[in-house]
């Protein structure tokens, strides 16, 4: 589904991603972990082309993003093609990014009506179904300001799903939430993974990662330092870098 080859990203002189190579298969749940500043969120933003990278290539289901693998030259996707590609990539951010002047159901209806040209009735029916899926059907007509953080993030997930994406990208979706609200968001994500959705998740929730991941990728200093199944990653002892990181986070934060 996604092939990342030789990906390099700079912010000025700061080399954020260093020759990252990664394949993500259809229906796979890949969890990306690592210390702060290791390039995890930047990797997600490059996949969605929210960040322009300087070298390498990303191919999403046969569609080239950014660099041309044959010529090595960097290209900018024509805006119409880029928007069409992004419709296939649902993204959920740390902050919820809901439109404050729109009701919950209007937030979910907007993109399908604007981009997929659904009728108002079609978009409304889809939004109602998604609200039921995330357990918030009773909140359809309220404004986002009245919701808890966990509820806002579940609405953000429903809004991303409204475009029927092929892949869901999650950038630390629980990091801005109070601890008691984390589990409700993680349950929605686990239920989504159970449907076979391709998912790439950046998180510090080690217990969740251990439960849900088909594969865990450990990043450090802009490099893909290690990867394996959750069993392989969590079996590593504290004498290894990834083992030390996982054990520290797993044993101290939100197990």
């Amino acid at each position: 589904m996604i092939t990342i080859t030789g990906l390099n990203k700079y912010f000025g002189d700061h080399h954020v991603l260093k020759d990252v190579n990664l394949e993500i298969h259809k229906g796979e749940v890949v969890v990306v972990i690592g210390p702060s500043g290791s390039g995890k969120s930047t990797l997600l933003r490059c996949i969605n082309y929210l960040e322009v990278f300087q070298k390498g290539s990303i191919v999403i289901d046969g569609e080239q993003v950014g660099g041309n693998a044959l010529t090595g030259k960097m290209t900018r996707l024509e805006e119409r093609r880029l928007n069409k590609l992004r419709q296939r990539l649902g993204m959920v951010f740390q902050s919820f990014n809901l439109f404050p002047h729109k009701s919950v159901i209007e937030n979910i209806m907007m993109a399908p009506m604007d981009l997929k040209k659904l009728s108002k009735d079609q978009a409304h029916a889809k939004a109602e179904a998604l609200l039921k899926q995330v357990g918030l059907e009773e909140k359809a007509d309220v404004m986002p300001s009245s919701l808890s953080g966990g509820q806002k993030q579940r609405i953000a997930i429903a809004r991303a799903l409204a475009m029927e994406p092929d892949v869901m990208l999650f950038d630390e979706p629980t990091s801005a939430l109070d601890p008691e609200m984390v589990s409700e968001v993680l349950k929605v994500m686990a239920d989504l993974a159970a449907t076979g959705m391709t998912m790439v998740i950046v998180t510090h929730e080690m217990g969740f990662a251990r439960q849900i991941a088909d594969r865990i990728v450990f990043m450090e200093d802009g490099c893909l330092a290690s990867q394996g199944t959750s069993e392989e990653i969590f079996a590593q002892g504290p004498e290894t870098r990834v083992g030390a990181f996982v054990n520290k986070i797993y044993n101290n934060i939100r197990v």
Side-chain angles (χ1 to χ4, degrees):
M1 179 64 74
I2 301 174
T3 301
I4 301 168
T5 307
L7 185 65
N8 284 265
K9 168 66 182 175
Y10 293 82
F11 288 115
D13 294 332
H14 182 36
H15 198 175
V16 183
L17 296 175
K18 305 172 182 176
D19 293 319
V20 174
N21 297 285
L22 180 64
E23 288 188 350
I24 297 159
H25 304 286
K26 186 174 182 179
E28 189 177 26
V29 177
V30 175
V31 175
V32 185
I33 64 172
S36 297
S38 59
K40 306 182 301 294
S41 294
T42 302
L43 176 62
L44 282 196
R45 292 176 66 85
C46 286
I47 292 173
N48 206 25
Y49 215 51
L50 293 172
E51 295 288 351
V52 179
F53 47 92
Q54 284 76 33
K55 185 180 178 183
S57 70
I58 298 177
V59 178
I60 300 171
D61 199 19
E63 181 80 11
Q64 184 84 35
V65 179
N68 186 304
L70 295 177
T71 66
K73 294 181 179 178
M74 296 305 297
T75 58
R76 172 75 187 186
L77 281 182
E78 187 264 329
E79 202 67 24
R80 183 180 59 83
R81 284 182 59 216
L82 180 59
N83 288 336
K84 189 173 181 180
L85 178 63
R86 281 181 177 154
Q87 290 177 33
R88 301 171 60 191
L89 301 169
M91 187 152 183
V92 178
F93 299 87
Q94 297 176 34
S95 54
F96 322 115
N97 294 344
L98 300 177
F99 295 107
H101 60 292
K102 299 284 186 180
S103 70
V104 162
I105 201 161
E106 287 171 337
N107 263 276
I108 300 171
M109 291 170 61
M110 282 181 66
M113 290 175 64
D114 290 345
L115 299 174
K116 285 186 171 289
K117 307 304 178 185
L118 265 62
S119 70
K120 186 174 182 179
D121 287 345
Q122 289 172 322
H124 194 276
K126 178 184 285 289
E128 284 185 324
L130 287 167
L131 283 171
K132 185 175 182 179
Q133 182 176 335
V134 300
L136 291 172
E137 56 266 43
E138 77 283 1
K139 299 294 185 181
D141 297 318
V142 308
M143 303 303 285
S145 59
S146 69
L147 301 176
S148 69
Q151 290 170 335
K152 289 177 182 176
Q153 196 59 293
R154 283 188 279 163
I155 297 302
I157 293 171
R159 185 177 63 178
L161 290 173
M163 292 300 293
E164 300 180 351
D166 298 321
V167 181
M168 285 287 288
L169 309 174
F170 294 88
D171 186 10
E172 299 196 38
T174 60
S175 65
L177 302 181
D178 292 333
E180 64 268 23
M181 297 177 186
V182 169
S183 61
E184 63 189 52
V185 174
L186 296 183
K187 182 183 183 304
V188 169
M189 294 171 63
D191 290 345
L192 184 59
T195 69
M197 172 66 74
T198 307
M199 300 167 67
V200 186
I201 306 167
V202 171
T203 185
H204 286 291
E205 302 287 347
M206 291 298 107
F208 175 70
R210 188 172 193 173
Q211 166 199 341
I212 198 174
D214 295 308
R215 186 155 41 107
I216 295 177
V217 171
F218 177 70
M219 292 189 68
E220 187 169 42
D221 193 28
C223 298
L224 197 163
S226 182
Q227 63 177 305
T229 65
S230 59
E231 292 82 3
E232 290 168 341
I233 293 296
F234 278 88
Q236 294 194 36
E239 70 279 359
T240 68
R241 179 65 187 98
V242 63
F245 175 84
V246 166
N247 280 282
K248 180 179 180 181
I249 302 298
Y250 186 67
N251 289 321
N252 290 285
I253 300 179
R254 299 177 188 166
V255 177

